[in-house]
């Protein structure tokens, strides 16, 4: 399959970059699509189209914008099979999970943002001031490869709902769902320029961030790239939203159901083969329970059957790329050289399939909380088990990395867990295994980024406020918004 075109100003047009890149199937290790990279001239065209489209899109009555976002959701739904297949091959997530997590959930999010359109332009009073929320303008969205449609949706659907126009540059490693999204946008009849698609890597990302006509940059990806984007965006004083890496901890408090805590933490850590920014990659247990927790991990790890992501029995697919596998294996080796011990799984106990970028599910022990393997994001199926003496120490260890994206606390009761959780500096904290809430704000402290995505908070990121100081004779009820 050759993808030589980009979607700019409501039309498919040939990308004008000289280079092509191959999209590789993470299980067969063979290219299955070729992508032509956009040029800097394409960046200019796309940003220009978004700028021209912005006043009309921002001025569209919210119900009209909402109906178009619903139409995008319908068109995505019609492409569910193609989306699931593309993402499974790019990322390696097993088919049984891909459809629910990587396809159905983002489509639901498009529908949710359609509902939230009405809230974007809301007005309120503070004393004698009328405060209006207005769209932030033209937004550059730059996304990673691990949950490609989800991450694109959290930006593009929210920005469009808020009345912004968008230029999207998805990851060059997993770009195909963005093509299908562009098809869906075209089918839904969005006005030309409201949504534009570019392809490329860091160069095209940088050209976009530096473009004078970009008002806001919404980025998800590594802390490394986030820093470069913040520097370039800061130079242009762009509004920034950064969703970056994490090293999230799960704390099992004394007296908790340890089996449930271990099982759920493995599930979080190994989901998408560990390629989840909010994965709980450190499990903190009372020192007296350490041996029990290790034994439970040994029992549960057998369930993580590696194999063809398309096979129904597969629970753990390959990593997305050879580069990612090299990185994870190097970090594992470094940890073992530093004294870390494999207490469950690991390459010896779990031989990997003959092809595919697999790393065996692994639980490490004998690791100091300050060791690199307990501090750095691994982005592979590697859990570190850490003992603690007192709950306050567990909270300090959990907070003791440069990140602050997510955390989980397990207690004998939800109230006990919540009290301990209040000491955590992370953007999203799960209590006693409560399910993910796609409408609740998601984002990080410190090197996990700035800003929040999802639901009403996610929508608000794409707005600015204007306050009008009003004289006493101004009517109490504000005039209807245009
Ligand atoms: P990455 O940072 O390498 O790339 C992300 C995107 O940024 C890609 O589109 C890439 O082409 C582009 N890019 C890279 N360098 C750039 C630069 N200097 N300027 C402009 N654009 C640039 O990340 P990745 O490897 O694709 O994704 C994995 C990372 O994403 C992990 O660190 C993970 O934690 C993070 N992530 C965070 C969240 C979150 O919500 N906090 C969610 C998912 C993934």
């Amino acid at each position: 399959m050759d993808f030589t075109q980009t979607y700019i100003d409501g039309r498919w047009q040939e990308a004008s970059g000289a280079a092509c890149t191959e999209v590789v199937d993470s299980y067969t290790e063979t290219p299955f699509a070729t992508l032509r990279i956009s040029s800097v001239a394409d960046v200019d065209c796309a940003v220009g189209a978004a700028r021209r489209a912005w006043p009309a899109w921002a001025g569209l009555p919210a119900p009209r914008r909402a109906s178009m976002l619903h139409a995008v959701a319908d068109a995505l739904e019609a492409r569910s099979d193609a989306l699931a297949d593309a993402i499974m091959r790019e990322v390696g997530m097993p088919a049984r999970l891909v459809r629910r997590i990587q396809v159905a959930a983002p489509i639901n999010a498009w529908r949710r943002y359609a509902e939230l359109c009405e809230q974007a332009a809301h007005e309120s009073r503070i004393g004698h001031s009328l405060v209006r929320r207005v769209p932030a303008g033209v937004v550059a969205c730059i996304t990673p490869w691990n949950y490609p449609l989800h991450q694109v949706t959290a930006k593009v659907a929210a920005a469009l709902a808020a009345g912004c126009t968008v230029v999207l540059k998805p990851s060059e490693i997993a770009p195909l769902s963005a093509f299908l999204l562009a098809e869906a946008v075209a089918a839904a009849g969005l006005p030309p320029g409201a949504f534009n698609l570019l392809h490329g890597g860091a160069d095209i990302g940088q050209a976009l961030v530096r473009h004078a006509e970009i008002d806001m940059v919404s980025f998800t990806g590594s802390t490394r790239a986030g820093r470069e984007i913040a520097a370039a965006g800061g130079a242009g004083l762009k509004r920034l939203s950064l969703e970056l890496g994490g090293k999230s901890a799960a704390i099992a408090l004394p007296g908790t159901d340890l089996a449930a805590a271990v099982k759920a933490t493995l599930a979080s850590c190994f989901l998408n083969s560990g390629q989840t920014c909010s994965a709980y990659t450190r499990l903190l247990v009372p020192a007296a329970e350490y041996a029990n927790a290790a034994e439970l991990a040994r029992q549960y790890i057998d369930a993580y059957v590696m194999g063809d992501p398309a096979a129904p029995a597969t629970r753990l697919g390959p990593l997305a790329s050879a580069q990612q596998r090299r990185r994870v294996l190097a970090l594992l080796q470094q940890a073992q050289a530093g004294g870390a011990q494999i207490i469950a799984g690991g390459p010896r106990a779990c031989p990997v399939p003959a092809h595919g970028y697999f790393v065996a599910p692994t639980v490490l022990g004998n690791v100091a909380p300050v060791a690199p393997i307990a501090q750095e994001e691994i982005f592979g199926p590697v859990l570190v088990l850490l003992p603690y003496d007192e709950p306050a120490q567990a909270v300090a260890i959990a907070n003791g990395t440069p990140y602050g994206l997510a955390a989980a606390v397990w207690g004998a009761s939800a109230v006990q867990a919540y009290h301990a959780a209040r000491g955590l500096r992370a953007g999203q904290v799960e209590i006693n295994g409560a399910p993910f809430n796609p409408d609740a704000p998601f984002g990080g402290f410190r090197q996990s980024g700035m800003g929040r995505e999802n639901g009403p908070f996610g929508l608000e990121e794409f707005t600015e406020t204007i306050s009008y100081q009003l004289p006493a004779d101004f009517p109490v009820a504000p005039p209807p918004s245009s």
Side-chain angles (χ1 to χ4, degrees):
M1 283 185 287
D2 280 352
F3 293 86
T4 59
Q5 295 191 320
T6 52
Y7 186 74
I8 297 176
D9 211 5
R11 280 178 297 118
W12 290 100
Q13 51 190 68
E14 289 296 308
S16 69
C20 286
T21 183
E22 280 173 333
V23 184
V24 176
D25 184 315
S26 54
Y27 179 60
T28 62
E29 303 187 23
T30 53
F32 71 105
T34 302
L35 187 72
R36 180 170 292 284
I37 300 299
S38 302
S39 66
V40 173
D42 293 335
V43 174
D44 214 35
C45 276
V47 176
R51 173 60 63 194
R52 287 191 300 280
W54 180 66
W57 180 255
L60 213 60
R64 282 283 297 135
R65 281 208 300 271
S67 74
M68 287 195 212
L69 297 200
H70 274 303
V72 173
D74 292 343
L76 284 172
E77 207 150 357
R79 291 162 175 78
S80 291
D81 290 344
L83 285 164
D85 186 63
I87 297 172
M88 179 190 74
R89 296 179 78 179
E90 291 170 335
V91 181
M93 185 185 250
R96 63 192 232 181
L97 297 172
V98 136
R99 192 166 268 276
R100 177 166 55 86
I101 298 174
Q102 300 257 24
V103 180
I107 292 171
N108 286 340
W110 274 90
R111 295 204 189 286
R112 177 65 181 134
Y113 278 116
E115 287 169 15
L116 287 171
C117 272
E118 305 273 3
Q119 289 182 16
H122 88 133
E123 292 170 356
S124 57
R125 289 284 192 138
I126 296 182
H128 69 286
S129 294
L130 171 70
V131 181
R132 269 180 77 210
R133 286 207 161 274
V134 296
V138 177
V139 181
C141 301
I142 302 179
T143 54
W145 45 262
N146 54 334
Y147 289 85
L149 185 61
H150 162 77
Q151 285 139 351
V152 162
T153 298
K155 300 181 182 324
V156 174
L160 290 172
C164 298
T165 54
V166 164
V167 181
L168 167 67
K169 192 211 77 63
S171 165
E172 63 279 31
I173 295 167
L176 300 188
S177 52
F179 270 98
L180 291 159
L181 171 63
E183 276 183 26
V185 163
L190 261 71
F195 167 87
N196 305 276
L197 175 67
L198 294 171
H199 284 296
D203 291 356
I204 294 302
Q206 279 289 316
L208 200 47
V209 172
R210 290 172 194 276
H211 200 290
E213 290 295 326
I214 290 290
D215 297 305
M216 173 174 172
V217 179
S218 176
F219 170 74
T220 297
S222 61
T223 296
R224 173 202 60 77
R227 225 174 256 126
E228 291 171 14
I229 285 171
L237 290 178
K238 314 282 186 197
R239 188 180 172 85
L240 283 176
S241 164
L242 303 172
E243 299 290 337
L244 310 177
K247 188 71 186 176
S248 302
I251 301 175
L253 292 172
T256 194
D257 177 349
L258 191 66
V262 171
K263 195 173 187 181
T265 306
L266 288 183
S268 158
C269 185
F270 296 163
L271 179 69
N272 207 18
S273 295
Q275 303 168 119
T276 303
C277 54
S278 55
Y280 308 133
T281 51
R282 297 178 294 154
L283 173 58
L284 279 68
V285 297
E289 297 284 359
Y290 186 80
N292 286 345
E295 184 47 41
L296 287 162
R298 279 190 279 276
Q299 278 172 34
Y300 294 137
I301 213 161
D302 289 343
Y304 291 88
V305 176
M306 287 179 280
D308 181 351
T314 299
R315 183 109 184 255
L316 199 81
L319 301 193
S321 66
Q323 187 196 355
Q324 189 63 19
R325 176 175 58 183
R326 265 196 307 277
R327 198 181 147 267
V328 174
L329 292 177
L331 285 163
L332 264 176
Q333 245 175 23
Q334 189 193 65
Q336 285 182 274
Q341 286 162 3
I342 292 176
I343 58 179
R348 278 220 188 112
C350 316
V352 300
H355 56 82
Y357 305 121
F358 287 92
V359 172
T362 305
V363 180
L364 293 176
N366 199 35
V367 172
V370 294
I373 197 86
Q375 289 281 315
E376 286 171 24
E377 184 176 58
I378 307 299
F379 239 50
V382 181
L383 177 73
V384 173
L385 187 63
L386 295 161
Y388 68 84
D389 295 322
E390 295 293 332
Q393 187 197 7
V395 171
I397 293 172
N399 285 337
T401 76
Y403 300 104
L405 188 56
V409 183
W410 292 79
S413 74
V415 172
Q416 181 211 19
Y418 173 70
H419 280 299
R422 286 176 58 107
L424 290 166
R425 304 275 294 164
Q428 200 163 83
V429 185
E430 180 188 306
I431 304 295
N432 274 7
F436 178 69
N437 177 356
D439 219 26
F442 180 88
F445 285 60
R446 307 174 73 207
Q447 292 190 20
S448 289
M450 56 179 85
R452 295 293 180 265
E453 290 196 319
N454 299 348
F457 281 78
L459 188 82
E460 221 172 277
E461 285 289 317
F462 294 96
T463 62
E464 295 276 11
T465 53
I466 304 178
S467 60
Y468 302 85
Q469 274 64 257
L470 302 175
D473 64 345
F474 196 81
V476 172
S481 347
S482 59

